Amino acid sequence: WRSNSVGGVLMKKSTPKPSKADLARWDKLYGMGCIACKKFGYHTYPEIHHLNLGGKAGQKRRGHDYTIPLCSYHHRGLPRLGYSGIQMAQKYGPSLAKQSRLFRTVFGTDDELLEQTNKEINT
């Protein structure tokens, strides 16, 4: 288990250390680019987003097989250099971190995004 410190309290992640197969999957996700940006015709370097039970932040992660590629804006709501959050939303759509319901309306549910991701990395 990986752990990190939040406010001086040691927190455990809900997923074990990734296997070689998990790392191979993530390499494919990195090559794929952000699944949300693709809908706007952009290819951006992604972070690995673990889907949670019920699609809710703070819930247990579903595991390393339940991962999708999202850029830092779509994943964590971090605007790119020179852009405001409003400008980012206008150009790239909503961020999962800032507007999760709207994000899922625009880009798809967690399971729809996972299905799309899996199709793309297996072709």
Side-chain angles (χ1 to χ4, degrees):
W1 290 64
R2 290 177 290 146
S3 62
N4 63 355
S5 178
V6 176
V9 177
L10 198 59
M11 306 288 291
K12 288 188 178 182
K13 294 283 185 183
S14 59
T15 47
K17 182 178 177 182
S19 67
K20 286 184 181 181
D22 296 327
L23 295 175
R25 174 186 173 79
W26 296 349
D27 280 344
K28 291 177 184 178
L29 297 183
Y30 288 129
M32 186 177 151
C34 174
I35 196 164
C37 285
K38 283 182 154 205
K39 293 197 180 211
F40 289 93
Y42 301 106
H43 181 86
T44 54
Y45 184 77
E47 300 173 342
I48 303 301
H49 172 65
H50 285 79
L51 301 175
N52 296 329
L53 293 174
K56 303 282 184 184
Q59 296 297 313
K60 185 175 179 180
R61 289 179 174 180
R62 293 167 65 183
H64 295 311
D65 289 334
Y66 298 89
T67 49
I68 61 172
L70 294 175
C71 67
S72 60
Y73 168 68
H74 284 113
H75 190 202
R76 297 182 288 131
L78 300 177
R80 295 195 174 101
L81 189 61
Y83 286 87
S84 70
I86 292 171
Q87 291 170 321
M88 289 296 294
Q90 289 171 340
K91 186 170 184 174
Y92 298 100
S95 159
L96 179 62
K98 303 287 185 183
Q99 298 175 297
S100 61
R101 284 187 184 156
L102 185 57
F103 177 90
R104 288 182 175 99
T105 298
V106 171
F107 297 111
T109 67
D110 288 2
D111 288 334
E112 290 168 341
L113 290 170
L114 180 64
E115 181 180 352
Q116 181 183 345
T117 297
N118 288 341
K119 281 182 183 175
E120 189 161 334
I121 64 174
N122 291 319
T123 58

